Amino acid sequence: MAEKNLLQAIHDGLAEEMRSDESVMILGEDVGRAGGVFRVTQGLQEEFGPERVLDTPLAESLIVGSAIGLSVNGMRPVAEIQFADFIPPAFDQIVNEAAKFYYRSNGAWTVPITIRAPYGVVPGGALYHSQSIEAWFCNTPGLKVVAPTFPADAKAMLKSAIRDPNPVLFLEHKRTYRLIKEDVPEDGHEVPLNKARVHREGGDITVVSYGLMLYTALEVAGKLSEELGIETEVVEPRTLYPMDRETILNSVKKTGKLLVISEANITGSVSGEIAAIVSQEAFEWLDAPVIRLGAPDVPAAAFAKPMMDFFVPSAEKIEAAMLELARY
Amino acid sequence: MAEKNLLQAIHDGLAEEMRSDESVMILGEDVGRAGGVFRVTQGLQEEFGPERVLDTPLAESLIVGSAIGLSVNGMRPVAEIQFADFIPPAFDQIVNEAAKFYYRSNGAWTVPITIRAPYGVVPGGALYHSQSIEAWFCNTPGLKVVAPTFPADAKAMLKSAIRDPNPVLFLEHKRTYRLIKEDVPEDGHEVPLNKARVHREGGDITVVSYGLMLYTALEVAGKLSEELGIETEVVEPRTLYPMDRETILNSVKKTGKLLVISEANITGSVSGEIAAIVSQEAFEWLDAPVIRLGAPDVPAAAFAKPMMDFFVPSAEKIEAAMLELARY
Amino acid sequence: MTTEKTRARHETLDLEEADLKSIYRAMLVARRVDERSWILNRQGKAAFVISCQGQEAAQIGAAYNLRPGHDYLYPYYRDSGMTLLLGQTPRGQFLSLLGKKEDPNSAGRQMPGHFSSRELNIVTSSAPVGVQYPQAAGTALAFKMRGEDGVVMACGGEASTSGGDWHEAMNFSGIHDLPVIFLVENNVYAISVPSKFQVAGSIAKRAEGYGFPGHEVDGNDVLAVYEAAKEAVERARRGDGPTLIEAKTYRMTAHSSDDDDRRYREREEIEAWRLKDPIIRFEKYLFENGLLDEDEKEAMDAEIKAFVAEASDYAENAPFADPEEALDRVYAEV
Amino acid sequence: MTTEKTRARHETLDLEEADLKSIYRAMLVARRVDERSWILNRQGKAAFVISCQGQEAAQIGAAYNLRPGHDYLYPYYRDSGMTLLLGQTPRGQFLSLLGKKEDPNSAGRQMPGHFSSRELNIVTSSAPVGVQYPQAAGTALAFKMRGEDGVVMACGGEASTSGGDWHEAMNFSGIHDLPVIFLVENNVYAISVPSKFQVAGSIAKRAEGYGFPGHEVDGNDVLAVYEAAKEAVERARRGDGPTLIEAKTYRMTAHSSDDDDRRYREREEIEAWRLKDPIIRFEKYLFENGLLDEDEKEAMDAEIKAFVAEASDYAENAPFADPEEALDRVYAEV
Ligand SMILES: Cc1ncc(C[n+]2csc(CCOP(=O)(O)OP(=O)(O)O)c2C)c(N)n1
Ligand SMILES: Cc1ncc(C[n+]2csc(CCOP(=O)(O)OP(=O)(O)O)c2C)c(N)n1
Ligand SMILES: [Mg+2]
Ligand SMILES: [Mg+2]
């Protein structure tokens, strides 16, 4: 087992699936010779040729639309959207088409496609290379939305996504691409798309988070444990839609306190859904208000570093919220 | 003051604004000679000519994109999307463009456009003439999303929307177009875009709802009051984003109990946001779980009437939820 | 049967008498099913009708070149003529019209006209106009990648070319010489909007800008459409790339049963086009070439009407899906 | 100054000596600002550079026909040559490059290259490629509705024609004869993707399909671009409708400072295009026509370099916006 970062893990997941299944292919902008703007697909065109790793025109509706068409004719395409901010032109093909083929044909047509999209704030990315777009897609039955955080999960879930007969939107927080390395199993390892992951057990408060914020949350949780003996249970949904409610509810039923953290603009974010589920299903267990932390309700992160940093929930703010909750 | 239904009220709002401000215009599919597929714009092309009431090609991105371009050159366009289900091609122009012009130019460019879109289940409408799409847009700072229910509100809020310097998405539940008539003031009457409305005061439970479901909720509330003396406070957000939290919170602080009802697929709906706000801000006042009622998590309403009826939250289900809450 | 004159048009197209009868029959079946649908609508039994009337020649002429279940079809909501030709049945059509459980397209979930057949490679279609084109290009790419000789036909009205999807698909198909045929059934109106406010320039001419052929054909002349589509299908099968066909035709009914077209078009215009009815026109051709006579025609029509009525009755008596079935088949099982 | 030969090209275009110098100067300013930006990037001061190098002729040649503050410009991220010509300043450019509070485009909110000026009618631009086209069509429609003679220029790279927005705008502009000029700066690459995988057929030729003229011009020949744009602007002002101009040029730098173009293009190709550098080419023209000499050029360049350096220094020393300003101006006040 080798140590890999998120980027390498996703790369490997793609390569292994393409090796073991001829119908798996990649299409998107600059995925070929360039190997993707983040280098996720580096070397794949050399190995699999220019058709199975296809540079498309700059046309996101086409990318997803043609992926749908490929999938109904025997292929398992992995479509790359260069930045999640540029997914809107493909919105119709995703929410009205891919997500509804199966239902509207009463189960006759499946759409086994995976759509990869790097999201999240990154220095210099500014308004259009920073957005957390998950909420746009988490009200669409028929679609699965996954957002793994750690390399091994990401690789295994990518494999599950590619093998899944349903359309899967696969979100990658681009600021975590090279953030950490961990052991990533070589092959076979699959993580299902309907299970949250408990990263850390604890009886005092529950924190639900994903992406970059999950790292910060885990850090702060460690600190609070060490310094103050506050034990945080940290739950990562991994799949945002449909979500594993059970694991989250069980945790909150144990701790009685919930903090949800994401990097998205707070109002209307997926955090709201999590809070709503908990306040309906675990109300009797709650000992404190469900608190959400997120980015402020401004369009997106700014280019200038000081404003960008201000946009992203900081470790300090997260610590303050966790403390507030623990002491409630 | 004359009695008007929702459709007439919106028609009148458009006509009055066009009369009083030369820069107001309408563009969309079939808005001209046909007067719109629902007849909202009937007669307006005759009165204002084929340019100010412009039949566009079937291209929603163009409709909104050109509205943006018109608005930065002195016009105040009202763009009609024939059915809300067909708004996805315009998603990019709405969320990435219209909503961000002001912020990204540091306040230099405003986009005073209104986008009207009929939403909601209607008999025979099936998957693509039925969707409740509000959640797609309620995570987008810079955009206002309004969804008035009653005719007088709709007319007044349409005027506010047209005069607003920001882009406003104006949602109309198509099944309520001809549902009731009420007195609608002739002119001048404005309703601001940041105020919820309390339809009915009551101390036992709070119900938040809008669109067709609001009618049902009001009916059931009346019945429960009469039959069982249960007094429901019914609050209509009217503006879904950014929402008037104050009015909702005040009500829940009074009643201690909240039911949120909408016709959208329940998971990821705007109801979740309302529940989240309340469980964070009014936790101490809550005497019961926050309950949400909505459509099941299936793509949309079916064509066949029995399945369609099953999709829409019924008066029985609403009554049961209200009773459950009242007795909690 | 031969004529003494120069070769008849169908002969130069290698169409046998049996082909011509099949084509004619298919057009008539489509028309009769359509007419019956309007009757059910007027009787208050069918909530919604959307019609193929006037476009039978464009549809049958084009689809007659396809191999059902091998080639792929992306039809649009008026293409009942095509789907019936490829193997869907009038019974299925009426079951769909009435939203019954046995509706082969969607089990009552979708509106009528939203065709689907996994066996026939008729890809499930929907209401958003234009989305089928990038999908069709993708399906064609899969054939190309595997070196198979399948072709894909993607259809829409003239307004389906106004949205971006059409263009993105045209461009992509041109870049990769994909085996796809874009069939635009230009019937002059998009609901109320006439084509002059819908289409700048010429749809057919645009193909050149994408580096492949575009043909404008008389969409009410079934042999003309057949010929253009034949060439296009052969070209695609050879691996030479896409073709665009713009079939100029006319919508003989209102947009749908929800529409009142008196708001936006003159009765005279419709009457003028009625004279060009593609079925009457083809009938005339068959009569003139001694391929059909009045008796034969009557007999065929009577037989068609009878089984159409039977199909319609069957559908009327068929049950709805249970309400709770609305919950099923949201996700395919892993 | 006149030459004895047949009339020089610029004379047939009614360009005076002063015009030529302005044009040359504008090209040089754009180049020097761009070069300076790369230095700031290499010094670790500028996080991101996106370049106009190689496209100065296309940009200046086209924009020289506009009336700043009257006509509207929808630039794309490489169009610093245009925006500088119309009245934006090198200082503003560097303030934007470094994301400073005084950045005239966005006060440090947007990436460099996302131009905006309310006074100059340069409409705020963004990163999603192609969105400007429908907006530009709308702006042109407003001029037309009011009977004004303003024109709109909308620019993008060749890949900006691949998305649906371009097509929808072309069609709409053709239908209504809108006063808009589509300027496609075809610089062969879209990041790494060469135009043969981006564009089927020919961009310029597509205009015909929409019923208006399309011109392919040598985008490295500033006079050729000027000529095509002049005709297009005059046509638009007259109310005769849109024009598409495809300026064939080349991206002389990597896509941006984040890109390493060695992954996908050969050094020889770049070298070959360096010989066609539009600035050198225009210089040659001016030399040959006795409109500029080496001394004058040196002097002009020295002066430009000096004030570019000054502008850059100013920007370096300028403050950032306070972090909390990220919260401001989300909504315009009612
Ligand atoms: C994206 C989208 N926008 C709007 C509609 C509403 N609509 C349904 S059919 C139609 C007109 C289509 O005209 P055309 O493509 O010419 O086909 P025709 O009905 O004339 O055969 C419209 C506007 C839709 N279905 N999809
Ligand atoms: C909708 C969208 N998709 C993807 C991108 C990422 N992207 C930025 S520039 C670019 C290439 C653009 O190429 P072209 O239009 O030819 O302009 P050039 O950079 O060559 O001048 C891409 C893919 C984007 N900005 N917007
Ligand atoms: Mg039509
Ligand atoms: Mg380019």
Side-chain angles (χ1 to χ4, degrees):
Chain A
M1 211 147 58
E3 293 233 309
K4 306 266 173 158
N5 65 25
L6 182 66
L7 202 135
Q8 294 162 331
I10 294 169
H11 169 278
D12 293 355
L14 288 169
E16 288 173 20
E17 287 304 291
M18 291 185 78
R19 277 175 212 133
S20 67
D21 180 350
E22 276 208 330
S23 68
V24 177
M25 61 174 293
I26 293 169
L27 71 169
E29 296 153 12
D30 304 291
V31 295
R33 274 180 89 175
V37 295
F38 295 103
R39 317 286 167 104
V40 171
T41 56
Q42 194 145 18
L44 298 181
Q45 194 181 62
E46 273 159 49
E47 185 174 348
F48 300 104
E51 285 200 317
R52 282 185 69 198
V53 182
L54 184 77
D55 277 328
T56 64
L58 197 164
E60 283 76 11
S61 184
L62 172 82
I63 292 172
V64 175
S66 63
I68 294 171
L70 284 155
S71 81
V72 299
N73 194 4
M75 307 303 287
R76 295 211 164 233
V78 181
E80 175 175 311
I81 300 293
Q82 198 162 80
F83 288 85
D85 315 61
F86 305 136
I87 210 170
F91 195 64
D92 203 22
Q93 292 286 356
I94 299 171
V95 305
N96 264 341
E97 294 295 304
K100 294 187 174 58
F101 259 50
Y102 190 70
Y103 186 79
R104 82 189 191 199
S105 66
N106 195 38
W109 291 95
T110 55
V111 177
I113 66 171
T114 303
I115 303 163
R116 294 182 39 243
Y119 77 100
V121 174
V122 74
L127 300 186
Y128 294 100
H129 301 80
S130 294
Q131 296 177 50
S132 290
I133 53 89
E134 54 272 26
W136 293 342
F137 295 98
C138 290
N139 187 226
T140 298
L143 181 69
K144 297 186 180 180
V145 182
V146 309
T149 303
F150 283 83
D153 279 350
K155 181 177 170 187
M157 288 176 74
L158 180 62
K159 291 181 163 222
S160 301
I162 293 172
R163 295 172 192 189
D164 199 291
N166 302 286
V168 180
L169 178 60
F170 190 92
L171 299 172
E172 307 162 7
H173 194 299
K174 66 176 95 73
R175 206 175 182 178
T176 69
Y177 270 148
R178 298 167 201 273
L179 194 64
I180 64 137
K181 290 195 172 200
E182 68 172 3
D183 279 340
V184 175
E186 288 299 307
D187 237 321
H189 181 59
E190 266 191 73
V191 168
L193 302 186
N194 59 0
K195 281 277 162 283
R197 175 175 168 189
V198 178
H199 281 272
R200 205 183 178 289
E201 302 203 355
D204 296 325
I205 60 175
T206 298
V207 170
V208 173
S209 190
Y210 55 95
L212 184 72
M213 294 296 97
L214 174 59
Y215 285 100
T216 319
L218 284 167
E219 231 173 75
V220 176
K223 187 179 165 207
L224 292 189
S225 165
E226 239 170 74
E227 295 179 4
L228 301 168
I230 296 171
E231 295 307 333
T232 306
E233 182 140 314
V234 179
V235 182
E236 180 195 5
R238 294 199 295 199
T239 293
L240 301 181
Y241 190 89
M243 204 183 281
D244 172 7
R245 301 164 171 226
E246 221 49 35
T247 304
I248 295 171
L249 287 169
N250 286 341
S251 178
V252 176
K253 286 180 183 172
K254 187 169 73 176
T255 63
K257 293 172 176 180
L258 174 63
L259 169 66
V260 193
I261 315 167
S262 90
E263 205 188 86
N265 304 115
I266 191 156
T267 302
S269 64
V270 173
S271 301
E273 179 62 27
I274 297 171
I277 292 168
V278 167
S279 50
Q280 176 155 1
E281 306 290 335
F283 177 75
E284 291 290 347
W285 289 265
L286 280 177
D287 298 322
V290 175
I291 302 182
R292 290 185 293 165
L293 256 187
D297 289 326
V298 309
F303 179 69
K305 186 99 179 7
M307 287 194 285
M308 181 203 91
D309 285 336
F310 182 79
F311 179 88
V312 179
S314 63
E316 293 69 43
K317 280 187 197 148
I318 292 175
E319 184 173 334
M322 283 165 70
L323 273 178
E324 182 192 335
L325 210 51
R327 292 181 177 147
Y328 196 91
Chain B
M1 211 149 56
E3 293 232 313
K4 307 266 173 157
N5 64 25
L6 182 66
L7 203 136
Q8 295 161 330
I10 294 170
H11 168 278
D12 293 356
L14 288 169
E16 287 173 21
E17 287 303 292
M18 290 184 79
R19 277 176 212 132
S20 68
D21 180 351
E22 276 209 328
S23 68
V24 177
M25 61 174 292
I26 293 170
L27 72 170
E29 296 153 13
D30 304 291
V31 296
R33 274 181 88 173
V37 295
F38 294 102
R39 317 284 167 105
V40 171
T41 56
Q42 194 145 19
L44 297 181
Q45 194 181 63
E46 273 158 50
E47 183 174 350
F48 300 104
E51 285 200 317
R52 281 184 71 195
V53 182
L54 184 77
D55 276 330
T56 63
L58 197 164
E60 284 76 10
S61 184
L62 173 83
I63 293 173
V64 176
S66 64
I68 293 171
L70 283 155
S71 81
V72 300
N73 193 3
M75 307 302 288
R76 293 208 165 237
V78 181
E80 175 174 312
I81 300 294
Q82 198 162 80
F83 288 85
D85 314 62
F86 305 136
I87 209 170
F91 195 64
D92 203 22
Q93 292 287 356
I94 298 172
V95 304
N96 264 340
E97 293 295 303
K100 294 185 174 59
F101 260 50
Y102 190 70
Y103 186 78
R104 81 189 191 200
S105 66
N106 195 38
W109 292 93
T110 55
V111 177
I113 66 172
T114 303
I115 304 163
R116 294 184 39 245
Y119 77 102
V121 174
V122 74
L127 299 186
Y128 295 100
H129 302 79
S130 294
Q131 297 178 50
S132 290
I133 53 89
E134 55 273 26
W136 294 342
F137 296 98
C138 290
N139 185 226
T140 298
L143 181 70
K144 297 185 180 181
V145 182
V146 310
T149 302
F150 283 83
D153 278 350
K155 180 177 171 187
M157 287 175 75
L158 180 62
K159 291 183 163 220
S160 301
I162 293 172
R163 294 172 193 188
D164 200 290
N166 301 286
V168 179
L169 177 60
F170 190 92
L171 299 172
E172 305 161 9
H173 195 300
K174 64 178 95 74
R175 206 175 182 177
T176 69
Y177 271 147
R178 298 166 201 274
L179 194 65
I180 64 137
K181 289 195 173 201
E182 67 171 4
D183 279 340
V184 175
E186 288 298 308
D187 237 322
H189 182 59
E190 266 191 75
V191 168
L193 302 186
N194 59 1
K195 281 276 162 284
R197 174 173 168 191
V198 178
H199 281 272
R200 207 183 175 289
E201 301 204 355
D204 296 326
I205 59 174
T206 298
V207 170
V208 174
S209 190
Y210 54 95
L212 183 73
M213 294 296 97
L214 175 59
Y215 286 101
T216 319
L218 284 168
E219 230 173 77
V220 176
K223 187 178 165 208
L224 292 190
S225 164
E226 242 171 69
E227 295 179 3
L228 301 169
I230 296 171
E231 295 307 336
T232 307
E233 181 139 315
V234 179
V235 182
E236 180 196 5
R238 294 200 295 198
T239 293
L240 301 181
Y241 190 90
M243 203 183 282
D244 173 7
R245 300 164 172 226
E246 221 49 34
T247 303
I248 296 171
L249 286 170
N250 286 340
S251 178
V252 176
K253 286 179 184 172
K254 186 169 74 175
T255 63
K257 292 172 177 181
L258 174 63
L259 169 67
V260 192
I261 315 168
S262 91
E263 204 188 86
N265 305 115
I266 192 159
T267 301
S269 64
V270 174
S271 301
E273 179 61 28
I274 297 170
I277 292 168
V278 167
S279 50
Q280 175 155 2
E281 307 289 335
F283 177 74
E284 291 290 348
W285 289 264
L286 280 177
D287 297 322
V290 175
I291 302 182
R292 289 185 294 166
L293 257 189
D297 289 325
V298 309
F303 178 69
K305 187 101 180 5
M307 286 194 284
M308 181 204 90
D309 286 335
F310 181 79
F311 179 87
V312 179
S314 63
E316 293 69 43
K317 280 186 196 148
I318 292 175
E319 183 174 334
M322 282 165 69
L323 273 178
E324 183 193 332
L325 210 51
R327 290 181 178 148
Y328 194 89
Chain C
M1 176 168 307
T2 53
T3 53
E4 293 301 280
K5 320 172 277 180
T6 48
R7 293 175 74 204
R9 284 177 68 206
H10 67 273
E11 288 169 333
T12 66
L13 294 170
D14 286 334
L15 284 171
E16 319 265 318
E17 191 175 331
D19 292 316
L20 298 172
K21 291 231 169 99
S22 297
I23 289 173
Y24 176 70
R25 196 190 144 78
M27 289 169 73
L28 210 54
V29 168
R31 178 67 58 91
R32 296 298 175 239
V33 168
D34 204 285
E35 286 166 348
R36 178 88 197 171
S37 303
W38 283 95
I39 291 171
L40 291 171
N41 175 255
R42 267 178 236 112
Q43 292 174 341
K45 292 171 182 165
F48 181 81
V49 179
I50 194 144
S51 236
C52 71
Q53 288 188 45
Q55 300 177 214
E56 294 90 346
Q59 294 177 14
I60 311 289
Y64 201 73
N65 292 284
L66 298 179
R67 293 184 296 185
H70 177 74
D71 299 327
Y72 273 67
L73 177 69
Y74 282 85
Y76 90 117
Y77 47 80
R78 294 199 195 284
D79 283 330
S80 53
M82 289 203 181
T83 67
L84 285 166
L85 177 74
L86 294 184
Q88 290 207 305
T89 64
R91 182 187 278 194
Q93 216 89 301
F94 291 117
L95 285 160
S96 165
L97 183 74
L98 302 176
K100 298 302 177 72
K101 182 180 164 82
E102 277 182 78
D103 153 30
N105 299 315
S106 75
R109 292 168 172 204
Q110 292 222 79
M111 293 174 92
H114 293 38
F115 307 103
S116 167
S117 168
R118 183 60 267 205
E119 307 72 44
L120 298 170
N121 287 350
I122 297 172
V123 181
T124 169
S125 63
S126 62
V129 166
V131 291
Q132 65 274 32
Y133 295 118
Q135 296 168 16
T139 300
L141 177 60
F143 278 139
K144 189 189 173 202
M145 287 176 74
R146 294 194 301 263
E148 295 170 5
D149 74 347
V151 307
V152 181
M153 187 172 281
C155 313
E158 78 283 2
S160 73
T161 67
S162 300
D165 274 355
W166 182 78
H167 161 73
E168 296 185 9
M170 289 284 287
N171 185 43
F172 189 61
S173 302
I175 291 170
H176 295 287
D177 294 327
L178 299 180
V180 57
I181 296 98
F182 298 94
L183 176 72
V184 177
E185 302 175 38
N186 186 339
N187 63 7
V188 188
Y189 288 91
I191 308 185
S192 73
V193 180
S195 51
K196 70 174 168 184
F197 292 129
Q198 188 69 243
V199 179
S202 145
I203 294 171
K205 271 201 198 143
R206 290 183 192 166
E208 202 198 327
Y210 300 101
F212 59 85
H215 304 294
E216 188 180 303
V217 295
D218 180 342
N220 283 19
D221 177 351
V222 70
L223 294 181
V225 179
Y226 173 79
E227 182 175 4
K230 181 174 150 78
E231 199 182 313
V233 166
E234 284 168 1
R235 181 179 139 82
R237 266 201 227 297
R238 279 196 312 270
D240 288 348
T243 303
L244 167 68
I245 298 172
E246 179 183 2
K248 296 276 201 178
T249 178
Y250 192 75
R251 197 189 73 202
M252 286 171 63
T253 63
H255 173 74
S256 74
S257 55
D258 286 345
D259 179 38
D260 177 0
D261 61 349
R262 284 167 306 185
R263 291 178 292 168
Y264 56 81
R265 65 175 177 181
E266 309 302 324
R267 295 308 90 183
E268 295 71 37
E269 183 184 295
I270 303 175
E271 288 317 314
W273 275 93
R274 285 210 172 279
L275 303 177
K276 304 188 225 169
D277 185 324
I279 295 183
I280 296 174
R281 186 152 156 196
F282 191 44
E283 233 164 70
K284 204 164 150 241
Y285 178 88
L286 296 176
F287 284 161
E288 281 173 6
N289 285 275
L291 295 154
L292 187 75
D293 61 28
E294 198 61 56
D295 286 349
E296 213 181 340
K297 178 195 144 185
E298 299 277 283
M300 193 193 286
D301 202 7
E303 177 246 317
I304 290 172
K305 278 181 173 150
F307 86 72
V308 164
E310 197 183 291
S312 162
D313 290 345
Y314 180 93
E316 274 195 60
N317 294 317
F320 283 111
D322 286 339
E324 301 75 25
E325 293 188 56
L327 302 179
D328 300 338
R329 282 174 286 280
V330 176
Y331 291 95
E333 291 202 8
V334 179
Chain D
M1 178 168 309
T2 54
T3 53
E4 293 303 279
K5 322 172 275 180
T6 48
R7 289 176 76 204
R9 285 175 67 206
H10 67 271
E11 287 169 334
T12 66
L13 294 170
D14 287 333
L15 284 171
E16 320 263 318
E17 189 175 332
D19 292 315
L20 298 172
K21 291 232 168 96
S22 297
I23 290 174
Y24 176 70
R25 196 191 144 77
M27 290 169 72
L28 209 55
V29 168
R31 177 67 59 90
R32 297 298 175 238
V33 168
D34 204 285
E35 287 167 346
R36 177 88 196 172
S37 303
W38 284 94
I39 291 171
L40 291 171
N41 175 254
R42 267 178 236 113
Q43 292 174 340
K45 292 171 183 167
F48 181 81
V49 179
I50 194 144
S51 236
C52 71
Q53 289 188 46
Q55 298 176 216
E56 293 91 346
Q59 294 177 13
I60 310 290
Y64 201 73
N65 292 283
L66 297 179
R67 293 185 296 185
H70 178 74
D71 299 328
Y72 273 66
L73 177 69
Y74 283 86
Y76 91 116
Y77 46 81
R78 293 198 197 284
D79 283 329
S80 53
M82 289 203 181
T83 66
L84 285 165
L85 177 75
L86 293 185
Q88 290 207 305
T89 64
R91 182 187 277 194
Q93 217 88 302
F94 291 116
L95 286 161
S96 166
L97 183 74
L98 302 177
K100 299 302 177 71
K101 181 179 164 83
E102 276 181 79
D103 153 31
N105 300 314
S106 75
R109 291 166 174 206
Q110 292 222 78
M111 292 175 93
H114 293 37
F115 306 104
S116 167
S117 168
R118 183 60 269 204
E119 306 73 43
L120 297 170
N121 286 351
I122 298 171
V123 181
T124 169
S125 63
S126 63
V129 166
V131 290
Q132 65 275 33
Y133 295 117
Q135 296 167 16
T139 300
L141 176 60
F143 278 138
K144 187 187 173 204
M145 287 175 73
R146 293 194 302 263
E148 294 170 4
D149 73 348
V151 307
V152 181
M153 187 171 281
C155 313
E158 78 283 1
S160 74
T161 67
S162 300
D165 274 354
W166 182 77
H167 162 72
E168 296 184 10
M170 289 284 288
N171 186 44
F172 189 60
S173 302
I175 291 170
H176 295 287
D177 294 327
L178 299 180
V180 56
I181 295 99
F182 297 95
L183 176 72
V184 177
E185 303 175 35
N186 186 340
N187 62 9
V188 188
Y189 287 92
I191 308 186
S192 73
V193 180
S195 51
K196 68 173 170 186
F197 292 129
Q198 188 69 242
V199 179
S202 145
I203 294 171
K205 272 201 198 141
R206 291 183 192 165
E208 203 197 326
Y210 300 101
F212 59 85
H215 304 293
E216 188 180 303
V217 296
D218 180 342
N220 283 18
D221 177 351
V222 70
L223 294 181
V225 179
Y226 173 80
E227 183 175 4
K230 182 174 151 76
E231 199 182 312
V233 167
E234 284 168 2
R235 182 179 138 82
R237 266 201 229 296
R238 278 197 312 271
D240 288 348
T243 304
L244 166 69
I245 299 172
E246 180 183 2
K248 296 274 201 178
T249 177
Y250 192 74
R251 197 189 74 203
M252 285 171 65
T253 63
H255 173 73
S256 74
S257 54
D258 286 345
D259 179 39
D260 177 0
D261 62 349
R262 282 166 308 185
R263 292 178 291 169
Y264 56 81
R265 66 174 177 181
E266 309 302 324
R267 294 308 91 181
E268 295 71 38
E269 183 184 295
I270 304 175
E271 287 317 313
W273 275 94
R274 285 212 172 277
L275 303 176
K276 304 188 225 169
D277 184 324
I279 295 183
I280 295 175
R281 187 153 156 195
F282 191 44
E283 232 164 70
K284 206 163 148 242
Y285 178 87
L286 296 176
F287 284 161
E288 281 173 6
N289 285 275
L291 295 155
L292 187 76
D293 61 28
E294 198 60 54
D295 286 351
E296 213 181 339
K297 177 195 144 186
E298 297 279 283
M300 193 193 285
D301 200 7
E303 176 246 318
I304 290 172
K305 278 180 172 152
F307 87 73
V308 164
E310 198 183 291
S312 162
D313 291 344
Y314 180 92
E316 274 195 60
N317 295 317
F320 284 112
D322 287 338
E324 301 75 26
E325 292 188 56
L327 302 180
D328 300 340
R329 282 173 286 279
V330 176
Y331 291 95
E333 291 201 9
V334 180

